[in-house]
Amino acid sequence: MPANYSGTWDIVDNQNFEGYMVALGIDFATRKVARMLKPQKVFEQDGDSFIIKTFTTFRNYSSSFKIGEEFEEITKGLDNRKCQTTINWDNDKLVCVQKGEKKNRGWTHWMEGDTLYLELRCEDQICKQTYKRTA
Ligand code: 1AG
């Protein structure tokens, strides 16, 4: 049985989001708005099928995938790039690889109790986010 991430999670910490956005080529004005945001994640999981929704007051982002199945991801409203994306289990961690123009791009989610972690990687930058379960 894989871990179950289903639920609602609110951000409580966000380290080096700025560096991650610079690595993605996000312009200054957008970064200025984006770094003030307090994202909320809603996970809908059925075994190996996921919908992860990220909500903010500025923009939203939604990603649907099945573990191990590569798909074309367009990061609409983020950096608007096309990636060939695959998410796999590493024990109970979700490990995403986003192949495309940017090297070393991807993310990892893991849980410890009511805490959800997200590491976002691009080029030489790592953003570390922490979320707490609210539902
Ligand atoms: C993600 O989460 C991305 C979710 O894949 C958003 C995370 C970071 C934002 C990425 C780049 C910044 C680009 C533009 C800034 C503009 C708006 C910021 C809006 C941020 C929230 C939508 C991994 C996983 C689900 O949880 O895919």
Side-chain angles (χ1 to χ4, degrees), residues 9-15 38-41 108-112 114-120 127-133:
W9 308 84
D10 287 357
I11 201 162
V12 293
D13 193 47
N14 195 359
Q15 299 293 329
K38 298 291 177 203
Q40 180 183 67
K41 300 255 181 205
T108 300
H109 269 296
W110 69 97
M111 284 185 296
E112 287 170 17
D114 278 347
T115 306
L116 173 75
Y117 296 95
L118 171 61
E119 188 178 277
L120 292 156
C127 168
K128 294 184 177 188
Q129 299 186 340
T130 308
Y131 294 79
K132 289 287 181 196
R133 190 189 278 283

Side-chain angles (χ1 to χ4, degrees), residues 23-63:
L24 285 172
I26 307 302
D27 67 83
F28 178 79
T30 306
R31 294 202 311 273
K32 200 173 144 183
V33 176
R35 67 176 170 243
M36 302 305 293
L37 299 172
K38 298 291 177 203
Q40 180 183 67
K41 300 255 181 205
V42 177
F43 279 68
E44 297 169 22
Q45 180 188 352
D46 179 5
D48 279 356
S49 297
F50 284 81
I51 305 170
I52 307 177
K53 295 172 184 166
T54 307
F55 296 105
T56 74
T57 53
F58 178 49
R59 285 176 194 164
N60 301 320
Y61 189 71
S62 180
S63 183

Side-chain angles (χ1 to χ4, degrees), residues 1 18 20 23-25 31-32 36 61 65-68 74 77-78 88 97 100-101 105 110-111 113 122:
M1 274 268 281
E18 177 70 10
Y20 175 75
L24 285 172
R31 294 202 311 273
K32 200 173 144 183
M36 302 305 293
Y61 189 71
F65 58 87
K66 283 197 179 128
I67 296 296
I74 297 173
L78 305 178
N88 280 295
V97 175
E101 183 186 337
R105 181 170 184 175
W110 69 97
M111 284 185 296
C122 182

